Amino acid sequence: MISAHCIRHQINIRSSRTLCRQLNYLLPVLLSHSLTTCTTNLYTTPKQNNNQNVSKRFLSKNKKQKQPPKAPRPPRPPKQPKEKISSQDTGNIPPLLLYQTASPNVFISSIAIDDMNSMQDENEHENQNDHNDATIHPKSLFNETKVPTTFAKSIFEYISPKAFNHELPSGKIPEIAVLGRSNVGKSSLLNALTNHKNLARISKRPGRTQQVNYFGQFDREDSNEVESKTPIGYIIDLPGYGYAKAPDDVVSEWQKNTQDFITSRQERGALQRIYILIDSRRGIDLVDSSIMSWLDINGISYTVVITKCDAVRKPIVVKVANEICMRYHSQMLGNNLLLHDDNEEEEQDNMVGLQSPFVHVTSSRKNVGIIELMCAVEGDFYVGNVNAKSRNYGNEFKNTR
């Protein structure tokens, strides 16, 4: 008898054979089908993407075509040739009425040089035997580049009102005053001129100086106290005019007191000159012109100093200096007309404006033009009765103070 196990084994063998036959038949079919599907996927996907890109481009083209066309640009106007400015057609450019001295920081009015040279020519014609070829040339002025000896051998100190017994000095020590608009850089210029950092208080608030301050120039070798020293000269710090952060009544009061102080010192003969400071960024305004006119009327000598020259370009500085020289030029022309008029002899005493023909250009921050200004102050201290009599006036000052 055949066991059940053998029967099952035979059945499995038969079934496996049939299965192999089926697999031998179906295997190439399945392989061919898989290969065809893979190849179709490989070749159909990019075609679909291309079709999608083409459809997007087509839609975008249709959208662009649907938009209205842009208006054409107007034609550009033809370029016009630039007009050449001739030397005769200068327009609104004022003429240059100044000369530059040996220092680039000092200018002088051209009419002052021309008048001095013409006067020398007239003197030569009168004295034909004396042949003097000493014509004044602008480059021969302010040719020193060193600190003046009086400034190098002296020191400046603040003099309190107690030293004057709360009164103005009664002697004839020479004085020069510094005046300017508020926030013009007056305190910084005084510190640079006196070679001190904190002699005059510097403040960002305009109108800080509200009273008259005296700074004395003393010999370094004099070791006495300030009250017993003999000063060479005084530099006076006057309150600023114009805009100031203070009440209007206070500003008007101290400006009136400043005018009274200037006239009183002028009458005593102590005040030699006033240095008016002009900001290079603003130039001369109506307030500055009114102050200069007031000084002309009262017969007070003054020199214009341009400050903060490092804040602007050089042509702007020259423009401001030229405006100042134009003012001096107009004064001299007016005086010449009055001199040739015989009917107005009574008005000839009040016709001369005492503006200096020199214009100083300074910068306290970069120490520009300070040496030239020292030379000018030294000349004011030693003009006329100050040159050899300052020591005698100092003794008189001790007795009267």
Side-chain angles (χ1 to χ4, degrees), residues 244 246-253:
D248 294 337
D249 54 349
V250 175
V251 174
S252 60
E253 183 178 358

Side-chain angles (χ1 to χ4, degrees), residues 36-55:
T36 52
T37 54
C38 290
T39 54
T40 52
N41 289 329
L42 289 171
Y43 288 102
T44 54
T45 51
K47 288 183 180 179
Q48 291 176 0
N49 293 331
N50 291 332
N51 291 332
Q52 290 177 2
N53 293 332
V54 171
S55 62

Side-chain angles (χ1 to χ4, degrees), residues 110-142:
S110 59
I111 193 172
I113 296 291
D114 298 338
D115 287 346
M116 286 187 287
N117 289 331
S118 62
M119 290 175 63
Q120 285 188 356
D121 293 338
E122 291 178 357
N123 293 331
E124 288 180 1
H125 286 297
E126 292 178 359
N127 302 323
Q128 296 181 358
N129 296 328
D130 298 335
H131 297 284
N132 294 325
D133 296 332
T135 58
I136 298 174
H137 196 273
K139 294 296 182 181
S140 63
L141 304 172
F142 287 95

Side-chain angles (χ1 to χ4, degrees), residues 158 161 168 209-214 236-239 257-258 261:
Y158 169 74
L168 294 176
T209 305
Q210 300 182 7
Q211 61 183 359
V212 177
N213 296 320
Y214 269 78
I236 306 172
D237 183 12
L238 296 175
N257 294 334
T258 301
F261 170 80

Side-chain angles (χ1 to χ4, degrees), residues 334-342 348 351:
N335 293 339
N336 291 333
L337 291 175
L338 292 176
L339 284 173
H340 291 87
D341 193 357
D342 298 335
Q348 290 182 4
M351 70 181 178

Side-chain angles (χ1 to χ4, degrees), residues 243-382:
Y243 172 74
K245 289 185 178 180
D248 294 337
D249 54 349
V250 175
V251 174
S252 60
E253 183 178 358
W254 88 53
Q255 288 181 358
K256 182 181 181 300
N257 294 334
T258 301
Q259 291 180 350
D260 295 340
F261 170 80
I262 292 172
T263 53
S264 65
R265 303 312 293 170
Q266 175 69 14
E267 291 174 356
R268 286 181 179 272
L271 185 62
Q272 302 297 317
R273 185 173 299 276
I274 290 180
Y275 287 87
I276 297 181
L277 308 186
I278 302 294
D279 195 339
S280 61
R281 300 171 298 178
R282 296 179 176 86
I284 301 176
D285 56 6
L286 293 176
V287 181
D288 297 325
S289 299
S290 62
I291 293 294
M292 294 180 190
S293 301
W294 181 82
L295 294 174
D296 290 330
I297 293 171
N298 290 273
I300 300 171
S301 301
Y302 62 94
T303 301
V304 181
V305 180
I306 301 174
T307 61
K308 302 179 181 180
C309 68
D310 58 327
V312 296
R313 295 181 289 110
K314 184 66 179 291
I316 298 176
V317 176
V318 176
K319 179 184 176 183
V320 177
N322 191 44
E323 291 177 356
I324 299 168
C325 291
M326 287 177 67
R327 190 177 185 279
Y328 178 85
H329 190 88
S330 62
Q331 285 183 354
M332 294 300 103
L333 289 179
N335 293 339
N336 291 333
L337 291 175
L338 292 176
L339 284 173
H340 291 87
D341 193 357
D342 298 335
N343 296 326
E344 298 184 1
E345 295 180 355
E346 297 179 356
E347 298 181 359
Q348 290 182 4
D349 296 335
N350 297 325
M351 70 181 178
V352 178
L354 297 179
Q355 176 184 344
S356 173
F358 293 101
V359 179
H360 291 262
V361 179
T362 61
S363 172
S364 303
R365 186 173 64 178
K366 294 188 176 181
N367 203 25
V368 175
I370 302 300
I371 294 177
E372 293 83 352
L373 193 61
M374 288 179 180
C375 295
V377 173
E378 183 186 34
D380 292 331
F381 281 164
Y382 290 96

Side-chain angles (χ1 to χ4, degrees), residues 51-121:
N51 291 332
Q52 290 177 2
N53 293 332
V54 171
S55 62
K56 288 181 181 179
R57 292 174 186 173
F58 181 74
L59 291 173
S60 62
K61 286 182 181 180
N62 291 336
K63 287 181 180 179
K64 289 181 180 179
Q65 290 178 359
K66 289 180 181 178
Q67 292 178 359
K70 293 183 179 180
R73 292 182 180 180
R76 293 182 180 180
K79 293 183 179 180
Q80 297 180 357
K82 295 182 180 180
E83 297 180 357
K84 295 183 180 180
I85 300 175
S86 62
S87 60
Q88 298 179 356
D89 187 12
T90 56
N92 295 325
I93 300 175
L96 284 177
L97 300 176
L98 53 82
Y99 293 136
Q100 186 175 353
T101 61
S103 172
N105 305 315
V106 182
F107 296 93
I108 185 172
S109 177
S110 59
I111 193 172
I113 296 291
D114 298 338
D115 287 346
M116 286 187 287
N117 289 331
S118 62
M119 290 175 63
Q120 285 188 356
D121 293 338

